[in-house]
Amino acid sequence: MNKQAIIILIIIVIVMTLGIFIFIKHVEKNKDLKNIENINRKSEDIYSKENKKDSVVLYFSATGTTKRVAEYIKEETDSNIIEIISKEKYTSDDLNYNKNCRANSEQNDINSRPEIFNTIDISDYKIIYLGYPIWWEDVPKIILTLLETTDFAGKTVIPFCTSGGSSITKSVNTLNSYKEINCKDGKTFNSRTTKEDVKLWINELNISNSSINKVKNEESNIDIITIKVNNEVLNIKLENNSSAKSFVEKLKEGDITVDAHDYSNFEKVGELGFDLPTNDTNIKTEAGDLILYQGNKIVLYYDTNTWNFTKIGKVQNKTQEELKRLLGDESVTLVFSI
């Protein structure tokens, strides 16, 4: 083979290699564009009328821990869910805090704002459950990107984080430094968090019932209502009987307020102002039981009693001592809602 032929062969190899490289880059670009289209199409599905809800779980997760907690919250609050996806994915090396890794560099750079890959639209939501891992005791810088590119005006932000030991406090202070953010106290979870842990937290939140109660269907089968007493909101799990269902139908007309007085140091009782069907049985009450008495009186027990009653439901996640402290010795106003 002469010298000229060798040169021609080399040129052919270079051109073919360059062509293959350009083809691969073209495929990767199209793949990225397709991913963006798919993600944004999913977002459009979330925002459709059929999926219209007043709350959303908005989260960033680099290792999957925050994602798992976010999915628990979605389930317990019947919210929509949106992941905040970094344009440049985080690898295990990026998160190796013992080295000068990418995460460390970003957290130490006051101007760092990692780009978000997908479109974030929260315009239709009133309540935002905002989740993130704790990096250097604070929010990851991609959360600052979110805050500076998304309109949070008029939203209630309920933060949650995941961490092996750091508190959520500093990150909440960072969120509150943005004036348009109406940020509530948050909650720290970890890799051992269970669905029950999340459920307990959701039940403790003093927020609008419409965002935390599950509706089994749009007709009448609601299984959770709330009762507000002394500025605290309690969740009540309803019984499956005609009395509870009729009570729910009344609540659909609006909140029901009952002035309840103390009786015999074990209950608060008040007139409903209307009659409900009864399903009386001889039962021994427990603290937290919500009882219909004589068809027109509502009773909230904080101690035991035995009589023929109709059980409407039971207060969730409150001990007897907690109920006693909340209800006190005097008369109270009970506001029931759905």
Side-chain angles (χ1 to χ4, degrees), residues 303-314:
D303 212 325
T304 59
N305 185 29
T306 302
W307 200 256
N308 288 329
F309 297 124
T310 296
K311 187 173 180 179
I312 297 286
K314 186 176 181 63

Side-chain angles (χ1 to χ4, degrees), residues 3-144:
K3 186 176 181 180
Q4 185 177 7
I6 293 174
I7 293 173
I8 294 172
L9 181 60
I10 292 173
I11 292 173
I12 292 172
V13 171
I14 292 173
V15 170
M16 290 179 63
T17 303
L18 183 60
I20 292 171
F21 176 78
I22 293 172
F23 175 76
I24 290 173
K25 286 297 180 182
H26 178 72
V27 170
E28 289 178 348
K29 183 178 180 180
N30 286 341
K31 185 177 180 181
D32 287 341
L33 289 172
K34 189 174 182 179
N35 286 338
I36 293 173
E37 290 173 358
N38 288 338
I39 289 169
N40 289 335
R41 191 176 296 116
K42 288 180 181 178
S43 296
E44 290 172 0
D45 291 342
I46 288 173
Y47 306 138
S48 67
K49 291 181 179 180
E50 290 77 9
N51 288 297
K52 192 171 180 62
K53 298 174 182 179
D54 65 359
S55 61
V56 64
V57 183
L58 181 61
Y59 74 95
F60 166 69
S61 183
T63 64
T65 302
T66 307
K67 178 179 181 179
R68 180 170 56 82
V69 176
E71 289 172 344
Y72 289 162
I73 295 173
K74 172 191 179 296
E75 181 177 341
E76 290 301 323
T77 61
D78 194 29
S79 300
N80 283 333
I81 189 167
I82 302 173
E83 182 178 3
I84 303 162
I85 303 174
S86 175
K87 185 173 183 179
E88 183 182 351
K89 293 183 179 180
Y90 288 88
T91 67
S92 57
D93 287 339
D94 291 336
L95 303 174
N96 186 349
Y97 301 110
N98 295 320
K99 298 179 180 180
N100 186 25
C101 66
R102 173 186 166 195
N104 287 352
S105 298
E106 290 176 352
Q107 295 303 106
N108 289 324
D109 181 359
I110 192 172
N111 296 314
S112 176
R113 297 294 186 272
E115 188 174 351
I116 296 174
F117 182 71
N118 52 317
T119 301
I120 305 293
D121 182 359
I122 59 171
S123 56
D124 290 335
Y125 299 106
K126 297 177 182 178
I127 297 172
I128 316 295
Y129 297 91
L130 180 59
Y132 47 85
I134 292 293
W135 289 0
W136 283 78
E137 299 185 350
D138 210 338
V139 296
K141 288 300 178 71
I142 196 170
I143 298 299
L144 301 188

Side-chain angles (χ1 to χ4, degrees), residues 238-247 277-279 310-313:
L238 295 176
E239 292 290 303
N240 185 20
N241 58 38
S242 61
S243 308
K245 291 177 180 178
S246 296
F247 192 38
T278 60
N279 292 273
T310 296
K311 187 173 180 179
I312 297 286

Side-chain angles (χ1 to χ4, degrees), residues 184-215:
K184 303 297 184 182
D185 293 335
K187 177 73 172 178
T188 303
F189 298 103
N190 56 45
S191 60
R192 299 181 301 279
T193 293
T194 65
K195 189 181 296 186
E196 187 62 27
D197 294 331
V198 170
K199 183 176 182 179
L200 289 173
W201 176 59
I202 295 300
N203 287 335
E204 291 169 0
L205 291 175
N206 186 10
I207 60 174
S208 170
N209 184 72
S210 63
S211 66
I212 63 174
N213 291 342
K214 290 187 173 180
V215 182

